Amino acid sequence: MAQVPQTFDAPAVRTWCGLALRALGRAREEIDAINVYPVADGDTGTNLYLTVESAAAAVEAVFAAHEVDGGTAGALSGPSLADAARAMAHGALIGARGNSGTILAQLLRGMAQVFATDGDRAHADGHGLCLALRRAADSARQAVAHPMEGTVLSVASAAADAATGAEGDCRTVALAAYEGACAALAATPGQLAVLERAGVVDAGGRGLVAVLAALVETFTGRTPEQSAAPSTAAGAGDGLPTVPHARVCPTENDGPDACAPPASGPAFEVIYLLDAEDTAVARLRERLDELGDSLVVVGGDGLWNVHVHVDDAGAAVEAGVEAGRPHRIRITHFGAGDAHTDGSGRPHRERAQRAVVAVVPGEGLAALYTEAGATAVLARPGEQLASGELVEAVRRAHAREVVLLPNDPELRHTASAAAEQARGEGVRVALIPTRSAVQGIAALAVHEPGRRFDEDVVGMTSAAGATRHAEVTVAERQSWTTAGICQAGDVLGLIDGDVAVIGSDVTAVAETVLDRMLAAGGELVTLVLGDEAPDSIADHLRTRVRESYLAVDTVVHQGGRQGAPLLIGVE
């Protein structure tokens, strides 16, 4: 057996993250399968796994940086406990997925606050671990707008209570916390009627038990004994409590593990990171609480992770804009038939037959696509989208058939990789090589879920292919283009991906681009305005089309922070 740590040092943080990731990987499908409260989107286990994956990657990055620095200096020295704990918390915060993942991120942040206090050795012993678990449970409860018992919050509090009652080293405290969490998890069906009706324990709490089992393994070198689990255990093989599989529902959710169940839930899940001051976040909480439910806001020191379920996704994003700078925005539509529980409190069992997953460049378009029934993935300016993010979106869509719209030529290979992985998971995926969000809008406009899959894909592909696309943007540096040499600050008009116009005024360049596109004919012009577009540009271009091109209609959408002042589509 490998030597195990005696105190909670940086290597222990690293080991714990790795073991927790493996534990959640083993339990992910089971956790997904038992989540019945209160909406059914089927990814609690996956969300917890992705959250811990981000935390573990951040810790590994800190160790790698110290190895490089140590090698340069000629003497190896690893990171401190404070460094590793902060990295774990930050990684979880920026990578948090879903309601349970967001709460888990706050649990890890609460622990990190203790481990980063008063020097590296002050809280590295069993007493320090007790303090960390207590801070974690309390801070997570404070982050939830309307805490509810019978959830992951109850499990976290019970773990902290049990740890506080134990005296000894980290091994003793970790085992006590795990056993307290197991007992609390077994009690969750008696605290929430929806769990009792389904015959399951709380899914978020089940995930936390897996994380605490990994903590025990960190300090003992082995997983907790099977006998340590409560009597509901069904022999899952990892020493963790499960429930009778005969009563587990095949569809699941990552709804608000810590919020009271509404009679009928909101239509959208909105998640984003937010750069904002504490005072602004306090006002944001009040605003989002008025807009919807399942509100969890975690973080601090200027960076926050916001999660809420609302009917008006655009209003939730706008509230974030008023508070600070939202980014990494993810909006998920709870599709009819698999999102909300029916009158009996049981989730609908069937997947949707077909869904559309689309990459979009701005939050305004994300809301537009989502309202049209698509699962939108927000592309972040300057950051390369990973295929795993698209696979996750396909899973969230929870459909047997998925049409994937990358809306960017540079994402074609990424989207292809995601499609192949999703097909390996049993989902029928068709990739339509859309090169712009305006082509995606055209494809979505003719989407008919009632048609045969192949016919629907052909129709959407034809609509996208018949739509010419253009972009008006600002040059960041001097460069050679197909229209000549541009300087930093010049306004560029790109038609079908190539620079066609170089000028100094956004409106003038846009008018020239539009004239060139309509010279080849067209019936409908789509304008998508970015935040940096001039206020008068929409009216100017709409008037230009009306006066110069008969029988051509113009539609205007607000794109938000999409990286370009204007996108144009002509079909």
Side-chain angles (χ1 to χ4, degrees), residues 30 47 79 132 135 213 257 293 319 334 484 535:
E30 177 200 334
N47 285 337
R135 177 74 66 85
D257 295 295
D293 59 31
F334 293 132
D535 294 337

Side-chain angles (χ1 to χ4, degrees), residues 417-488:
E420 284 302 315
Q421 183 173 342
R423 291 180 188 120
E425 297 178 6
V427 181
R428 188 180 184 188
V429 181
L431 172 61
I432 297 178
T434 47
R435 299 169 59 86
S436 170
V438 292
Q439 288 188 321
I441 292 173
L444 196 57
V446 300
H447 169 53
E448 293 186 17
R451 290 192 293 191
R452 290 178 55 248
F453 185 63
D454 291 341
E455 293 177 353
D456 195 28
V457 171
V458 169
M460 295 177 71
T461 302
S462 297
T467 302
R468 299 189 69 193
H469 62 93
E471 175 182 335
V472 177
T473 188
V474 177
E476 296 181 355
R477 63 184 66 86
Q478 183 185 57
S479 179
W480 290 89
T481 76
T482 51
I485 300 176
C486 71
Q487 305 295 326

Side-chain angles (χ1 to χ4, degrees), residues 297-326:
V297 181
V298 305
D301 301 322
L303 179 63
W304 308 82
N305 191 306
V306 179
H307 172 282
V308 67
H309 291 179
V310 293
D311 281 320
D312 190 342
V317 174
E318 286 299 321
V321 172
E322 293 173 4
R325 186 181 74 88

Side-chain angles (χ1 to χ4, degrees), residues 92-94 96 102 271-274 296-299 303-307:
L93 178 67
I94 65 174
T102 306
I271 305 172
Y272 50 81
L273 293 179
L274 178 70
V296 185
V297 181
V298 305
L303 179 63
W304 308 82
N305 191 306
V306 179
H307 172 282

Side-chain angles (χ1 to χ4, degrees), residues 8 11-21 52 88 108 111 115 133 210-216 218:
F8 211 108
V13 174
R14 185 185 200 181
T15 299
W16 181 32
C17 287
L19 292 174
L21 188 62
V52 173
M88 173 184 69
L108 296 179
M111 296 185 72
F115 292 135
L133 290 169
V211 172
L212 290 174
L215 184 63
V216 173
T218 299

